Amino acid sequence: MWILEAKKVHKVYGNKLNKQEVLKGIDLGVSKGEFVGIMGPSGSGKTTLLNVLSSIDRVSQGTIDIEGKEFTGMKEKQLAEFRKHHLGFIFQEYNLLDTLTVKENVLLPLSITSIPKQEAHRKFEQIANELGIYELKDKYPSEISGGQKQRTSAARAFVHEPSIIFADEPTGALDSKSASDLLGKLSEMNSTRKATIVMVTHDPVAASYCSRVIFIRDGQIYTQLNKGDESRQSFFNDIIKTQGVLGGVQQ
Amino acid sequence: MSLNYIIFRNLRKNLKNYYLYVFALVFSVALYFSFVTLQYDPSMDEVAASTKGAAAIGASSVLLIVIVGIFLLYANTIFIKRRSKEIGLFQLIGLTKGRIFGILSAENSILYFGSMAIGVLIGFLASKLVLMILFKILGVDAITKLYFSPMALMQTVIVFTMMYLLIMLMNYIFIKGQSILSLFRVSATSEQQVQKMSFGQMIVGVLGIALMVYGYFVSARLFSGEAMDMQQLMYTMILILFSVILGTYLFYKGSVSFIFNLIRKSKNGYLSIHEVLSLSSIMFRMKSNALLLTIITTVSALAIGMLSLSYISYYSAEAQAKESLPEDFSFAQANVKNRFVAELEHKQIAYEEKHREPIYIEIDAHEVMDASMTEQYLFSSVLSDNMVDNIDVQPGEVVFMGYGNAIQQLISIQEKGPIVLHGLKHRLAQQLIGTTKHGVLPAYYTGGTPVAVVDETVYQQLKQDIDPELQKADRADYYGVRIVNEGQAEDAYAVYKEQQLEAPSFSQIEFRNNQRNTMGLIMFIVGFLGLTFLITSGCILYFKQMNESEEEKSSYTILRKLGFTQGNLLRGIQIKQLFNFGIPLMVGLSHSYFAVKSGWFFFGTELATPTVIVMIVYTLLYSIFGLLSVWYYKRVIKEAL
């Protein structure tokens, strides 16, 4: 049973005279508890794919369901309601609010739901401990490192237990140590919380943490790799090989 | 942690970034409130009665609101753009656009109405000061006291509430129109593409300067070249405005980057750190802000120009009074004069009397005047040299007196040359031997034209042969009374006032006071508006710099990584700000200088001192914003690494 299902998704940019088809009919399914990576060369459409899957961009054609709810035709109000409960986001540039502390940033998604205070605090403690940011809870984003910011941003994505979490190059701005820390945490959360994660990346190391990697080229799915019971190292080698075949020069 | 809490937190934290916005808002409200209070203040009645003060203040408060309105709306666009990411994020976590608009409105309303309350308070306290300044300028001896006007409060609240609604409408349109993706991209797209200098731009650059120079050139000749009728004059003025404003626009669009490009070329690729930070950044920024800068420049030029003109007029009130009224008191009727003089004697005020009997004739002066004026005779009054002190002309010689600044611009007469005095039957060929500004008859007699002073014999000849149609019975005698001791002039004026004398009796002091009254009020209002404009435009430039500094933060990071110290960077920034604030200021000053120069003589007798004072004050106030922006940059640079 898919938790996310995309059918014949097309995305066209530009006007009548100058059309650019970025996504050319993508069919995709993600099942519950999966950690899916999306890879592809620059301009292959991977970020656009993530944007339409996560409802922050509209499709030109096709449908996308999350937990059986098709959101491609929803009105703005319904969409907001939908995001509130079903989606979490992690960005390359963190997008934390500088005016709020770490704790406040993390609790932001809960503050607009009707969860009781006690419950919210409990949830924060749990997620903050898991991600190792509990000690930072009263600091402001400007006072913590990039890796800590990204973990805060991850905590914010997880705290309201959404159906699916979208991550756009979450390690893009991090050094390798912080990156592997974060990825380790993400895959841990994936297995302990059964959280479903879809992550766009161009980094084969990051992708090797996933349970499945989808390769995109020219707006179409080129191939995909399953990790299965392989070790991370051999999965990493597979990814490198596929990338070689794909031929795209990486960013 | 509820949403309200977040709003509150956000607001408190944001206040730091918004301090200038808050300041500008408080300032605008304070200014407006004290201005409107003035309008309703009962102690203004005295001023109002003589100069229609309340009406003038009422009209300019509308202008004030326009300036403030444009500024607030502009500031709001900058601030909402700065928060676009936040808005996007709120949408991502599942807030509807309507809800976000609600949050923003609530936040803004606290900020806005909070500042408004403070502004009203400050305005209330400042209104006494403002009134004191006004009375001081006008020379009114009235006691000012704090006056609270509920009407003024209501008017302020209504006007600013409407402004708030307008701002909210703008925010609503902004939020509705943006998708989440575009919100995340807003800050990225404001950066414009850097391109190579094209040939077209060079043309634009040259054209900009050429148009401005042409405008200046025409303006300099506006009143000194050939005479024009009203319609021609109007067309010429429109031409000047058009060419200068368009020139300014093109100047920002092309000339600045054109000139900087030349400098850059001459460096041949080797740029010092200061040049990296100043030249290259300004080259590309000025272009994209051309329209805004043009508006700022034009309006500052207008403000400086008007301020200078009204100050010139205020400043030269005394000199002008002397020029147009040769003696302290002048009378056309002997009995009125006698009554006045009798009272002076009674009060033991020493005085001198002058009696002049002008006759009115036509003068053919085409040989000493411009070609365009030759068709008409010059209607002029004639005096004998016996009636004028310190002048003795030979028969056949004429001196033109009372040939002042304004008349010089309208009728240009050479210093020397042959002229012909027309009697009823005879014509007397004479030689003009000189002109002087010094006046001998009030404008009441001369109608503004110069007075011809001739030898007694010539005067008698003309008197025998006068054209009765040209004579004016009520202007046949001039009695001038000069107070010997200047310290007693005010006492004499008290007598004059006591006797309730009116035209055709004149008093120099009264003339001067009237002039100061009218021009003082105008100066006060223009000064008020100019100050508002100065502050708003300064703030706008500052906000722009605030944005720019943040957009360029990454380059500072790179430069600091390359090993440049904070001091190095700051030095470059200072140069950059010198240009950023200096160029609009210089252009504005130069515009206003030429504007003032072309017509100042209608306003007074002294050009340099008042204009320079106004310009220096304006420059000083303006540079505060430049310093503030450098200070802001300092912080950004410090945080860059």
Side-chain angles (χ1 to χ4, degrees):
Chain A
M1 183 57 208
W2 301 125
I3 195 165
L4 177 150
E5 190 174 17
K7 284 181 198 148
K8 302 211 167 22
V9 170
H10 287 259
K11 179 71 188 174
V12 184
Y13 283 115
N15 51 26
K16 272 182 196 156
L17 295 169
N18 184 17
K19 259 195 218 167
Q20 199 190 355
E21 196 171 16
V22 181
L23 299 179
K24 300 170 182 166
I26 286 188
D27 291 304
L28 179 74
V30 177
S31 48
K32 189 161 173 55
E34 261 195 305
F35 187 177
V36 178
I38 299 175
M39 293 192 80
S42 308
S44 60
K46 54 186 191 303
T47 296
T48 306
L49 176 63
L50 191 85
N51 285 344
V52 296
L53 289 181
S54 61
S55 84
I56 59 178
D57 205 353
R58 298 246 177 206
V59 296
S60 304
Q61 232 181 75
T63 58
I64 304 168
D65 305 0
I66 289 180
E67 289 213 326
K69 289 199 186 80
E70 184 190 323
F71 66 77
T72 31
M74 277 187 190
K75 287 271 174 353
E76 195 258 329
K77 244 187 198 146
Q78 296 167 290
L79 211 50
E81 191 66 18
F82 181 76
R83 281 190 205 114
K84 187 150 85 181
H85 298 294
H86 296 287
L87 307 182
F89 294 91
I90 306 173
F91 301 93
Q92 179 173 353
E93 58 280 6
Y94 327 126
N95 286 336
L96 298 175
L97 292 185
D98 296 332
T99 53
L100 301 180
T101 62
V102 166
K103 182 172 181 181
E104 287 163 347
N105 262 300
V106 172
L107 285 181
L108 204 54
L110 291 182
S111 70
I112 59 167
T113 61
S114 49
I115 286 182
K117 256 191 188 166
Q118 286 299 318
E119 176 80 0
H121 287 296
R122 201 187 50 72
K123 282 192 176 196
F124 169 75
E125 264 169 49
Q126 199 187 344
I127 194 87
N129 280 322
E130 278 178 58
L131 285 165
I133 53 168
Y134 187 76
E135 281 70 34
L136 307 172
K137 68 180 169 44
D138 293 322
K139 296 211 163 172
Y140 286 96
S142 56
E143 300 170 309
I144 59 178
S145 74
Q148 290 167 331
K149 277 185 205 167
Q150 196 57 297
R151 274 183 277 152
T152 305
S153 157
R156 183 179 64 192
F158 282 103
V159 74
H160 57 305
E161 289 160 5
S163 316
I164 188 163
I165 287 164
F166 294 97
D168 187 2
E169 303 270 13
T171 58
L174 302 181
D175 59 276
S176 60
K177 172 75 172 61
S178 310
S180 62
D181 272 1
L182 180 80
L183 289 163
K185 295 286 184 206
L186 285 183
S187 73
E188 219 176 282
M189 308 278 271
N190 170 244
S191 52
T192 57
R193 292 188 165 229
K194 294 273 168 281
T196 314
I197 304 171
V198 176
M199 172 175 79
V200 161
T201 185
H202 66 267
D203 178 8
V205 181
S208 69
Y209 283 86
C210 299
S211 52
R212 177 155 65 108
V213 176
I214 298 168
F215 289 89
I216 308 273
R217 192 166 80 169
D218 299 332
Q220 281 168 319
I221 293 185
Y222 177 75
T223 183
Q224 47 179 312
L225 292 175
N226 275 303
K227 187 177 180 186
D229 296 328
E230 278 180 89
S231 72
R232 200 162 69 73
Q233 187 56 48
S234 72
F235 190 45
F236 172 73
N237 291 336
D238 288 349
I239 293 170
I240 293 284
K241 257 183 239 158
T242 314
Q243 251 189 354
V245 178
L246 207 60
V249 178
Q250 296 308 309
Q251 289 172 339
Chain B
M1 197 182 76
S2 67
L3 205 57
N4 293 334
Y5 175 74
I6 296 179
I7 297 171
F8 183 67
R9 278 300 295 273
N10 237 340
L11 186 69
R12 232 184 55 200
K13 276 282 178 177
N14 274 327
L15 220 53
K16 252 201 218 149
N17 290 323
Y18 286 32
Y19 72 95
L20 201 63
Y21 180 60
V22 172
F23 165 76
L25 195 59
V26 168
F27 177 81
S28 318
V29 175
L31 213 59
Y32 184 76
F33 183 67
S34 53
F35 211 73
V36 180
T37 301
L38 221 57
Q39 199 181 339
Y40 292 109
D41 196 323
S43 54
M44 273 295 283
D45 288 351
E46 193 180 335
V47 179
S50 61
T51 52
K52 301 216 186 328
I57 287 178
S60 30
S61 67
V62 174
L63 203 59
L64 190 69
I65 229 33
V66 172
I67 296 175
V68 170
I70 290 173
F71 161 68
L72 286 179
L73 287 179
Y74 180 79
N76 185 57
T77 52
I78 289 182
F79 283 112
I80 195 158
K81 267 190 193 149
R82 282 165 79 91
R83 303 188 64 180
S84 57
K85 253 195 180 160
E86 196 179 320
I87 296 170
L89 191 70
F90 279 136
Q91 284 190 44
L92 272 188
I93 63 165
L95 282 181
T96 59
K97 287 179 172 181
R99 193 83 190 277
I100 294 171
F101 173 67
I103 294 181
L104 270 183
S105 305
E107 204 188 283
N108 259 321
S109 74
I110 300 173
L111 199 75
Y112 195 93
F113 290 102
S115 321
M116 210 164 109
I118 300 171
V120 166
L121 192 72
I122 295 176
F124 171 59
L125 295 176
S127 64
K128 183 180 152 92
L129 181 73
V130 169
L131 198 63
M132 265 158 56
I133 295 173
L134 178 62
F135 281 1
K136 173 99 184 111
I137 293 174
L138 298 184
V140 174
D141 282 327
I143 300 199
T144 55
K145 48 177 192 281
L146 271 181
Y147 171 73
F148 181 79
S149 154
M151 281 296 285
L153 178 68
M154 209 165 80
Q155 195 172 327
T156 309
V157 169
I158 290 174
V159 162
F160 279 87
T161 306
M162 269 160 64
M163 200 95 83
Y164 172 74
L165 293 178
L166 207 61
I167 288 174
M168 286 303 104
L169 181 71
M170 231 170 83
N171 284 351
Y172 184 74
I173 292 168
F174 177 81
I175 294 174
K176 272 280 165 202
Q178 300 283 338
S179 69
I180 299 178
L181 272 183
S182 60
L183 282 171
F184 278 105
R185 246 185 264 130
V186 164
S187 50
T189 48
S190 64
E191 199 95 49
Q192 68 155 350
Q193 285 293 309
V194 173
Q195 293 161 338
K196 273 224 119 146
M197 195 84 186
S198 72
F199 184 68
Q201 270 181 303
M202 269 158 56
I203 303 240
V204 165
V206 174
L207 200 66
I209 297 175
L211 273 175
M212 283 201 304
V213 172
Y214 174 72
Y216 289 166
F217 180 71
V218 177
S219 83
R221 287 164 33 104
L222 188 57
F223 293 107
S224 57
E226 62 259 47
M228 290 181 266
D229 57 28
M230 272 328 265
Q231 205 164 10
Q232 274 175 308
L233 201 64
M234 198 179 75
Y235 286 139
T236 319
M237 281 177 171
I238 290 172
L239 174 74
I240 293 170
L241 273 184
F242 177 77
S243 92
V244 171
I245 292 176
L246 185 68
T248 312
Y249 179 72
L250 295 182
F251 178 76
Y252 291 123
K253 199 93 192 150
S255 311
V256 173
S257 40
F258 174 63
I259 293 167
F260 281 19
N261 210 29
L262 289 183
I263 300 173
R264 224 173 141 173
K265 276 241 173 76
S266 70
K267 301 274 177 190
N268 211 3
Y270 184 79
L271 290 179
S272 78
I273 177 68
H274 306 151
E275 286 151 1
V276 170
L277 288 173
S278 53
L279 286 186
S280 52
S281 160
I282 290 173
M283 265 177 70
F284 297 109
R285 300 271 181 188
M286 282 244 160
K287 210 159 50 183
S288 53
N289 297 334
L291 188 65
L292 180 80
L293 288 172
T294 309
I295 296 173
I296 288 184
T297 309
T298 311
V299 187
S300 7
L302 204 70
I304 303 172
M306 301 251 293
L307 214 52
S308 301
L309 288 180
S310 49
Y311 191 46
I312 284 176
S313 165
Y314 180 77
Y315 186 88
S316 38
E318 185 143 13
Q320 227 176 357
K322 287 211 167 108
E323 208 171 278
S324 39
L325 296 173
E327 267 79 30
D328 288 314
F329 299 94
S330 48
F331 304 91
Q333 292 146 338
N335 57 340
V336 178
K337 186 253 322 176
N338 290 335
R339 200 148 52 89
F340 177 69
V341 168
E343 185 64 24
L344 285 187
E345 269 164 20
H346 179 70
K347 291 240 158 93
Q348 293 179 326
I349 299 173
Y351 64 91
E352 272 174 21
E353 243 185 88
K354 296 274 175 327
H355 182 211
R356 296 178 189 131
E357 293 166 90
I359 50 176
Y360 300 94
I361 59 161
E362 278 177 338
I363 298 177
D364 179 2
H366 75 269
E367 300 230 19
V368 291
M369 293 204 300
D370 274 343
S372 59
M373 298 283 290
T374 46
E375 301 96 53
Q376 300 161 354
Y377 290 145
L378 189 63
F379 176 77
S380 176
S381 40
V382 178
L383 288 179
S384 151
D385 60 351
N386 287 358
M387 299 172 182
V388 183
D389 297 336
N390 306 328
I391 280 195
D392 185 25
V393 292
Q394 300 301 313
E397 288 177 353
V398 178
V399 170
F400 276 156
M401 296 191 74
Y403 182 55
N405 285 318
I407 190 75
Q408 276 176 26
Q409 302 301 327
L410 292 176
I411 311 171
S412 81
I413 301 175
Q414 289 156 23
E415 277 287 300
K416 288 182 170 60
I419 55 171
V420 182
L421 308 183
H422 286 225
L424 186 61
K425 300 186 201 100
H426 305 288
R427 294 176 179 194
L428 298 175
Q430 303 273 318
Q431 191 70 21
L432 180 68
I433 60 162
T435 61
T436 162
K437 278 185 194 176
H438 186 77
V440 281
L441 284 177
Y444 175 73
Y445 296 87
T446 64
T449 54
V451 179
V453 178
V454 297
D455 187 65
E456 176 65 19
T457 54
V458 180
Y459 178 76
Q460 290 305 337
Q461 257 178 292
L462 282 168
K463 204 165 183 182
Q464 303 307 317
D465 185 32
I466 49 175
D467 181 348
E469 272 181 36
L470 294 178
Q471 305 312 308
K472 306 173 209 164
D474 54 338
R475 284 155 212 216
D477 288 293
Y478 165 79
Y479 300 97
V481 174
R482 198 172 70 78
I483 304 302
V484 178
N485 183 354
E486 270 188 44
Q488 288 182 307
E490 288 286 344
D491 299 337
Y493 177 55
V495 173
Y496 178 87
K497 265 214 294 211
E498 204 176 292
Q499 297 192 342
Q500 293 181 325
L501 299 179
E502 279 176 0
S505 306
F506 302 97
S507 151
Q508 233 178 49
I509 294 179
E510 189 174 73
F511 185 95
R512 188 197 69 199
N513 285 356
N514 275 346
Q515 179 93 348
R516 283 204 182 153
N517 243 309
T518 326
M519 290 331 286
L521 188 69
I522 291 174
M523 191 174 83
F524 175 77
I525 290 171
V526 170
F528 223 82
L529 292 177
L531 189 66
T532 319
F533 186 74
L534 172 83
I535 293 196
T536 48
S537 61
C539 282
I540 287 176
L541 283 178
Y542 176 84
F543 292 154
K544 279 239 155 246
Q545 288 309 308
M546 227 158 89
N547 262 8
E548 240 178 86
S549 69
E550 258 141 57
E551 279 167 27
E552 285 177 5
K553 198 171 174 177
S554 56
S555 4
Y556 304 147
T557 312
I558 296 171
L559 286 168
R560 284 192 64 189
K561 278 183 181 161
L562 286 175
F564 291 103
T565 64
Q566 288 185 40
N568 290 147
L569 292 179
L570 205 61
R571 186 94 193 84
I573 293 299
Q574 280 163 354
I575 296 175
K576 173 178 152 178
Q577 294 312 72
L578 195 67
F579 285 119
N580 255 328
F581 285 84
I583 292 176
L585 178 70
M586 288 325 286
V587 178
L589 285 180
S590 132
H591 282 4
S592 58
Y593 171 73
F594 280 96
V596 168
K597 196 162 179 282
S598 75
W600 69 277
F601 32 80
F602 291 118
F603 293 85
T605 50
E606 175 75 36
L607 170 67
T609 321
T611 312
V612 167
I613 290 176
V614 166
M615 285 181 172
I616 287 176
V617 169
Y618 200 91
T619 306
L620 284 180
L621 287 175
Y622 183 86
S623 31
I624 293 174
F625 292 95
L627 291 178
L628 272 180
S629 78
V630 170
W631 185 58
Y632 190 86
Y633 266 96
K634 204 168 166 179
R635 220 171 64 192
V636 172
I637 291 172
K638 204 168 153 195
E639 285 169 2
L641 199 63

mmCIF file of all heavy atoms in Angstrom, chain B residues 414-431:
data_model
loop_
_atom_site.group_PDB
_atom_site.id
_atom_site.type_symbol
_atom_site.label_atom_id
_atom_site.label_comp_id
_atom_site.label_asym_id
_atom_site.label_seq_id
_atom_site.Cartn_x
_atom_site.Cartn_y
_atom_site.Cartn_z
ATOM 1 N N GLN B 414 21.681 99.221 -20.550
ATOM 2 C CA GLN B 414 23.135 99.364 -20.454
ATOM 3 C C GLN B 414 23.487 100.528 -19.538
ATOM 4 O O GLN B 414 22.693 101.428 -19.298
ATOM 5 C CB GLN B 414 23.727 99.610 -21.844
ATOM 6 C CG GLN B 414 23.664 98.376 -22.728
ATOM 7 C CD GLN B 414 23.694 98.745 -24.184
ATOM 8 O OE1 GLN B 414 24.167 99.819 -24.561
ATOM 9 N NE2 GLN B 414 23.162 97.855 -25.013
ATOM 10 N N GLU B 415 24.714 100.499 -19.077
ATOM 11 C CA GLU B 415 25.185 101.525 -18.144
ATOM 12 C C GLU B 415 25.179 102.926 -18.782
ATOM 13 O O GLU B 415 24.857 103.902 -18.134
ATOM 14 C CB GLU B 415 26.607 101.175 -17.681
ATOM 15 C CG GLU B 415 26.643 100.171 -16.543
ATOM 16 C CD GLU B 415 26.206 100.782 -15.220
ATOM 17 O OE1 GLU B 415 26.856 101.727 -14.773
ATOM 18 O OE2 GLU B 415 25.186 100.335 -14.650
ATOM 19 N N LYS B 416 25.587 102.982 -20.025
ATOM 20 C CA LYS B 416 25.733 104.287 -20.666
ATOM 21 C C LYS B 416 25.136 104.259 -22.064
ATOM 22 O O LYS B 416 25.086 103.203 -22.695
ATOM 23 C CB LYS B 416 27.231 104.638 -20.791
ATOM 24 C CG LYS B 416 27.880 104.982 -19.454
ATOM 25 C CD LYS B 416 29.334 105.374 -19.652
ATOM 26 C CE LYS B 416 29.943 105.942 -18.393
ATOM 27 N NZ LYS B 416 29.937 105.016 -17.255
ATOM 28 N N GLY B 417 24.698 105.435 -22.526
ATOM 29 C CA GLY B 417 24.203 105.514 -23.893
ATOM 30 C C GLY B 417 23.220 106.635 -24.060
ATOM 31 O O GLY B 417 22.769 107.245 -23.075
ATOM 32 N N PRO B 418 22.870 106.965 -25.294
ATOM 33 C CA PRO B 418 21.954 108.073 -25.537
ATOM 34 C C PRO B 418 20.502 107.664 -25.293
ATOM 35 O O PRO B 418 20.093 106.558 -25.652
ATOM 36 C CB PRO B 418 22.176 108.406 -27.014
ATOM 37 C CG PRO B 418 22.696 107.138 -27.614
ATOM 38 C CD PRO B 418 23.368 106.364 -26.540
ATOM 39 N N ILE B 419 19.737 108.544 -24.661
ATOM 40 C CA ILE B 419 18.302 108.333 -24.503
ATOM 41 C C ILE B 419 17.592 109.646 -24.824
ATOM 42 O O ILE B 419 18.222 110.709 -24.836
ATOM 43 C CB ILE B 419 17.910 107.874 -23.071
ATOM 44 C CG1 ILE B 419 18.432 108.861 -22.023
ATOM 45 C CG2 ILE B 419 18.439 106.490 -22.797
ATOM 46 C CD1 ILE B 419 17.892 108.587 -20.640
ATOM 47 N N VAL B 420 16.295 109.562 -25.087
ATOM 48 C CA VAL B 420 15.533 110.764 -25.428
ATOM 49 C C VAL B 420 14.371 110.897 -24.470
ATOM 50 O O VAL B 420 13.583 109.954 -24.315
ATOM 51 C CB VAL B 420 15.001 110.690 -26.878
ATOM 52 C CG1 VAL B 420 14.254 111.974 -27.222
ATOM 53 C CG2 VAL B 420 16.140 110.449 -27.849
ATOM 54 N N LEU B 421 14.271 112.042 -23.768
ATOM 55 C CA LEU B 421 13.153 112.283 -22.872
ATOM 56 C C LEU B 421 12.038 112.975 -23.654
ATOM 57 O O LEU B 421 12.271 113.991 -24.304
ATOM 58 C CB LEU B 421 13.598 113.159 -21.699
ATOM 59 C CG LEU B 421 14.833 112.706 -20.926
ATOM 60 C CD1 LEU B 421 15.099 113.640 -19.742
ATOM 61 C CD2 LEU B 421 14.663 111.276 -20.416
ATOM 62 N N HIS B 422 10.842 112.445 -23.601
ATOM 63 C CA HIS B 422 9.719 112.993 -24.353
ATOM 64 C C HIS B 422 8.860 113.884 -23.484
ATOM 65 O O HIS B 422 8.272 113.399 -22.518
ATOM 66 C CB HIS B 422 8.849 111.868 -24.919
ATOM 67 C CG HIS B 422 9.481 111.168 -26.066
ATOM 68 N ND1 HIS B 422 8.806 110.858 -27.222
ATOM 69 C CD2 HIS B 422 10.754 110.729 -26.249
ATOM 70 C CE1 HIS B 422 9.634 110.243 -28.043
ATOM 71 N NE2 HIS B 422 10.821 110.158 -27.479
ATOM 72 N N GLY B 423 8.795 115.161 -23.843
ATOM 73 C CA GLY B 423 7.813 116.038 -23.208
ATOM 74 C C GLY B 423 6.561 116.023 -24.074
ATOM 75 O O GLY B 423 6.425 115.188 -24.978
ATOM 76 N N LEU B 424 5.656 116.933 -23.751
ATOM 77 C CA LEU B 424 4.439 116.975 -24.560
ATOM 78 C C LEU B 424 4.761 117.425 -25.988
ATOM 79 O O LEU B 424 4.309 116.825 -26.960
ATOM 80 C CB LEU B 424 3.431 117.939 -23.920
ATOM 81 C CG LEU B 424 2.051 117.991 -24.577
ATOM 82 C CD1 LEU B 424 1.378 116.630 -24.508
ATOM 83 C CD2 LEU B 424 1.189 119.048 -23.905
ATOM 84 N N LYS B 425 5.588 118.456 -26.099
ATOM 85 C CA LYS B 425 5.928 118.980 -27.434
ATOM 86 C C LYS B 425 7.378 118.738 -27.801
ATOM 87 O O LYS B 425 7.697 118.393 -28.914
ATOM 88 C CB LYS B 425 5.655 120.493 -27.477
ATOM 89 C CG LYS B 425 4.197 120.844 -27.206
ATOM 90 C CD LYS B 425 3.953 122.331 -27.398
ATOM 91 C CE LYS B 425 2.691 122.790 -26.669
ATOM 92 N NZ LYS B 425 2.982 123.439 -25.391
ATOM 93 N N HIS B 426 8.233 118.907 -26.811
ATOM 94 C CA HIS B 426 9.660 118.827 -27.131
ATOM 95 C C HIS B 426 10.247 117.489 -26.760
ATOM 96 O O HIS B 426 9.727 116.772 -25.921
ATOM 97 C CB HIS B 426 10.423 119.933 -26.380
ATOM 98 C CG HIS B 426 9.882 121.286 -26.653
ATOM 99 N ND1 HIS B 426 10.056 121.918 -27.859
ATOM 100 C CD2 HIS B 426 9.132 122.098 -25.882
ATOM 101 C CE1 HIS B 426 9.435 123.090 -27.809
ATOM 102 N NE2 HIS B 426 8.842 123.222 -26.622
ATOM 103 N N ARG B 427 11.375 117.245 -27.426
ATOM 104 C CA ARG B 427 12.132 116.049 -27.047
ATOM 105 C C ARG B 427 13.513 116.482 -26.636
ATOM 106 O O ARG B 427 14.127 117.297 -27.306
ATOM 107 C CB ARG B 427 12.241 115.099 -28.232
ATOM 108 C CG ARG B 427 10.890 114.557 -28.603
ATOM 109 C CD ARG B 427 10.930 113.711 -29.804
ATOM 110 N NE ARG B 427 9.570 113.243 -30.012
ATOM 111 C CZ ARG B 427 9.250 112.269 -30.826
ATOM 112 N NH1 ARG B 427 10.199 111.685 -31.515
ATOM 113 N NH2 ARG B 427 7.997 111.902 -30.962
ATOM 114 N N LEU B 428 13.958 115.920 -25.514
ATOM 115 C CA LEU B 428 15.280 116.303 -25.025
ATOM 116 C C LEU B 428 16.220 115.112 -25.168
ATOM 117 O O LEU B 428 16.015 114.071 -24.521
ATOM 118 C CB LEU B 428 15.196 116.706 -23.551
ATOM 119 C CG LEU B 428 14.314 117.913 -23.245
ATOM 120 C CD1 LEU B 428 14.234 118.126 -21.746
ATOM 121 C CD2 LEU B 428 14.847 119.159 -23.928
ATOM 122 N N ALA B 429 17.218 115.261 -26.017
ATOM 123 C CA ALA B 429 18.203 114.188 -26.173
ATOM 124 C C ALA B 429 19.178 114.273 -25.005
ATOM 125 O O ALA B 429 19.704 115.345 -24.705
ATOM 126 C CB ALA B 429 18.931 114.340 -27.496
ATOM 127 N N GLN B 430 19.362 113.180 -24.292
ATOM 128 C CA GLN B 430 20.229 113.184 -23.117
ATOM 129 C C GLN B 430 21.182 112.001 -23.193
ATOM 130 O O GLN B 430 21.046 111.113 -24.035
ATOM 131 C CB GLN B 430 19.369 113.029 -21.847
ATOM 132 C CG GLN B 430 18.301 114.073 -21.675
ATOM 133 C CD GLN B 430 18.802 115.305 -20.975
ATOM 134 O OE1 GLN B 430 19.542 115.239 -20.020
ATOM 135 N NE2 GLN B 430 18.417 116.479 -21.481
ATOM 136 N N GLN B 431 22.109 111.985 -22.249
ATOM 137 C CA GLN B 431 23.079 110.890 -22.187
ATOM 138 C C GLN B 431 22.905 110.171 -20.856
ATOM 139 O O GLN B 431 22.997 110.797 -19.800
ATOM 140 C CB GLN B 431 24.493 111.479 -22.308
ATOM 141 C CG GLN B 431 25.592 110.472 -22.532
ATOM 142 C CD GLN B 431 25.531 109.835 -23.920
ATOM 143 O OE1 GLN B 431 24.926 110.400 -24.844
ATOM 144 N NE2 GLN B 431 26.099 108.656 -24.061
#
